[in-house]
């Protein structure tokens, strides 16, 4: 079944100071997410200039300060898991180490210190780094869901790259969560996927891939079994989804799937770097086996600085009105990103 992509074009008029105060009409867009109905606003900038941001002084300053994730101190200052979760204290996989979060905001909250390197520049992010640290996070999730099936029911793997995206430390790390209830947006995704299946007897995620393949406007490419597309109703600038059809839970995802996801994420990150998007948030969403109609997917959004680092790209619209927005058309993002796939 084909997906309906709904957008309303809004014309606003004013007297233009750049043209002798002649009347001028500007068009903005309000789009509705085809699954959840959530509004996304497309601001009418057509040549929004995102400035490059050089992290070097911040990275150098952070090297002079204490970093709990650097290899010489990690074992001394970071917490360990109790023996029921990890008899070895901290879960290690290659260069990645999973530790409990000292400031948990969910019943099961851990961090994956992705590497022993204090700073990894965007252009140095490689598939192996992602595969290893995501696999380490999945290992933790499999342990806590087996140990406490009543409380560790809904899970996610999250990445805030650099402090501008909310990461409190420069040293690269993931946030791993498992709790009794899904996060608000995750719940919308799960419920709406179930409703779509029940209403249309068809899987939303497969329909989305097929519809985007046909439309050709936002489909970006494929890495193995993962399909990549630029979100029709973006949650932020450069909102890219990597969908793994037919997989739902943390037990379904294979090493090959992680590789396919990592290859795609690296390509998106490379594109961000070239586009002066110097920070990002990413999440890997899962459901439980009883939730019909869901597909595991990754979502990555760019975070940009306004007037190098003194301005935030999060405004009243997201914080106080729950309306995400973007300044770049998803179709324009897809056209450029395609060349990286
Ligand atoms: Zn460090």
């Amino acid at each position: 079944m084909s997906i309906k992509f709904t957008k309303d074009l809004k014309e606003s008029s004013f007297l233009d100071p750049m043209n002798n105060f002649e009347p001028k009409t500007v068009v903005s867009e309000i789009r509705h997410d085809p699954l959840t109905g959530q509004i996304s606003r497309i601001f009418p900038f057509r040549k929004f200039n995102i400035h490059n941001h050089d992290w070097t002084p911040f990275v150098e300053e952070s090297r002079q300060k204490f970093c709990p994730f650097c290899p010489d101190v990690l074992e001394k200052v970071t917490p360990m898991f109790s023996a029921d979760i990890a008899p070895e204290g901290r879960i290690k996989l290659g260069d990645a180490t999973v530790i409990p979060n000292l400031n948990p905001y969910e019943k099961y909250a851990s961090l994956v210190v992705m590497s022993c390197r204090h700073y990894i520049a965007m252009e140095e992010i490689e598939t192996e780094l992602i595969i290893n640290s995501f696999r380490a996070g999945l290992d933790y999730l499999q342990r806590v869901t087996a140990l406490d099936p009543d409380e560790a029911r809904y899970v996610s793997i999250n990445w805030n790259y650099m402090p501008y995206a909310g990461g409190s430390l420069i040293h690269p790390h993931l946030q791993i969560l498992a709790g009794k209830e899904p996060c608000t947006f995750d719940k919308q995704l799960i419920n709406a996927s179930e409703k779509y299946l029940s209403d249309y007897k068809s899987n939303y995620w497969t329909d989305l891939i097929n519809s985007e393949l046909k439309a050709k406007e936002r489909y970006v490419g494929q890495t193995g079994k993962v399909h990549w597309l630029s979100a029709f109703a973006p949650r932020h600038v450069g909102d890219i989804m990597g969908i793994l059809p037919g997989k739902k839970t943390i037990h379904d995802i294979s090493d090959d799937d992680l590789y396919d996801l990592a290859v795609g994420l690296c390509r998106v990150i490379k594109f961000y770097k070239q586009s002066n998007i110097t920070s990002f948030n990413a999440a890997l969403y899962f459901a439980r086996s009883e939730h019909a109609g869901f597909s595991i997917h990754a979502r990555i959004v760019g975070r940009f600085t306004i007037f190098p680092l003194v301005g935030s790209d999060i405004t009243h619209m997201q914080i106080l009105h729950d309306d995400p927005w973007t300044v770049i058309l998803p179709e324009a993002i897809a056209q450029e990103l395609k060349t990286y796939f």
Side-chain angles (χ1 to χ4, degrees):
M1 144 143 199
S2 59
I3 301 280
K4 261 188 219 132
F5 298 105
T6 314
K7 60 180 172 187
D8 300 322
L9 301 183
K10 306 284 182 192
E11 288 189 351
S12 308
S13 302
F14 51 78
L15 305 182
D16 185 6
M18 310 295 279
N19 187 23
N20 211 18
F21 295 97
E22 290 297 314
K24 181 175 181 177
T25 300
V26 174
V27 180
S28 63
E29 283 183 31
I30 294 180
R31 297 187 176 193
H32 296 268
D33 183 274
L35 181 64
T36 63
Q38 162 103 47
I39 278 178
S40 172
R41 294 171 190 270
I42 316 288
F43 287 10
F45 297 107
R46 284 299 172 263
K47 281 184 189 159
F48 189 84
N49 199 8
I50 294 179
H51 299 269
N52 186 27
H53 183 76
D54 179 12
W55 292 113
T56 310
F58 298 89
V59 172
E60 287 316 310
E61 197 189 324
S62 77
R63 287 190 203 282
Q64 309 307 317
K65 292 179 180 166
F66 176 72
C67 173
F69 297 165
C70 273
D72 45 336
V73 295
L74 185 137
E75 306 258 332
K76 288 184 206 123
V77 304
T78 61
M80 293 199 291
F81 293 110
S82 53
D84 53 350
I85 295 178
E88 67 273 45
R90 300 180 186 89
I91 302 166
K92 288 181 192 280
L93 188 71
D95 208 14
T97 307
V98 192
I99 56 171
N101 192 334
L102 267 178
N103 299 295
Y105 48 94
E106 180 52 280
K107 168 86 175 165
Y108 293 100
S110 73
L111 303 174
V112 180
V113 179
M114 298 174 77
S115 166
C116 56
R117 290 164 66 193
H118 179 70
Y119 171 62
I120 299 182
M122 249 178 170
E123 60 274 25
E124 292 167 358
I125 294 173
E126 286 171 350
T127 50
E128 200 187 332
L129 174 84
I130 297 177
I131 295 167
N132 246 334
S133 38
F134 277 52
R135 175 49 71 201
L138 281 167
D139 183 349
Y140 165 78
L141 289 173
Q142 283 162 355
R143 293 182 195 211
V144 295
T145 50
L147 179 75
D148 191 356
D150 292 334
E151 291 284 340
R153 289 165 53 81
Y154 291 95
V155 305
S156 63
I157 293 179
N158 306 280
W159 187 2
N160 304 318
Y161 179 78
M162 295 303 278
Y164 197 74
S168 54
L169 290 168
I170 283 188
H171 200 122
H173 59 285
L174 303 177
Q175 304 265 348
I176 316 294
L177 298 175
K180 192 164 190 165
E181 296 290 329
C183 296
T184 308
F185 180 62
D186 306 30
K187 195 184 211 165
Q188 286 176 21
L189 292 173
I190 290 167
N191 290 348
S193 299
E194 278 184 332
K195 188 175 184 310
Y196 185 94
L197 181 68
S198 137
D199 288 353
Y200 304 112
K201 310 285 174 256
S202 187
N203 181 292
Y204 169 77
W205 301 94
T206 310
D207 286 354
L208 179 64
I209 292 167
N210 291 334
S211 299
E212 291 291 26
L213 267 168
K214 210 180 280 176
K216 293 190 176 80
E217 286 183 293
R218 290 168 297 272
Y219 188 86
V220 170
Q222 200 173 348
T223 53
K225 290 183 184 141
V226 180
H227 293 265
W228 296 88
L229 40 100
S230 177
F232 170 75
R235 296 186 65 76
H236 206 51
V237 166
D239 181 349
I240 305 299
M241 299 162 82
I243 304 167
L244 181 55
K247 302 275 177 102
K248 261 195 297 194
T249 76
I250 50 169
H251 304 288
D252 299 341
I253 191 164
S254 68
D255 286 344
D256 285 348
D257 298 332
L258 278 181
Y259 174 81
D260 296 342
L261 281 165
V263 169
L265 284 172
C266 282
R267 290 178 188 173
V268 177
I269 293 166
K270 201 166 280 172
F271 160 73
Y272 282 172
K273 173 70 187 165
Q274 292 303 317
S275 310
N276 289 344
I277 296 172
T278 53
S279 204
F280 61 81
N281 302 109
L284 192 53
Y285 299 94
F286 299 91
R288 293 174 58 76
S289 55
E290 64 264 33
H291 296 306
F294 189 86
S295 286
I296 292 174
H297 58 282
R299 199 151 182 165
I300 180 166
V301 298
R303 298 293 304 275
F304 60 95
T305 56
I306 298 176
F307 306 116
L309 258 200
V310 295
S312 167
D313 59 354
I314 300 296
T315 69
H316 63 296
M317 291 309 290
Q318 296 101 331
I319 300 280
L320 297 172
H321 299 284
D322 279 355
D323 280 7
W325 53 262
T326 182
V327 287
I328 308 176
L329 275 174
E331 292 73 23
I333 295 273
Q335 282 313 310
E336 275 194 53
L337 181 56
K338 258 184 209 172
T339 62
Y340 292 74
F341 275 74

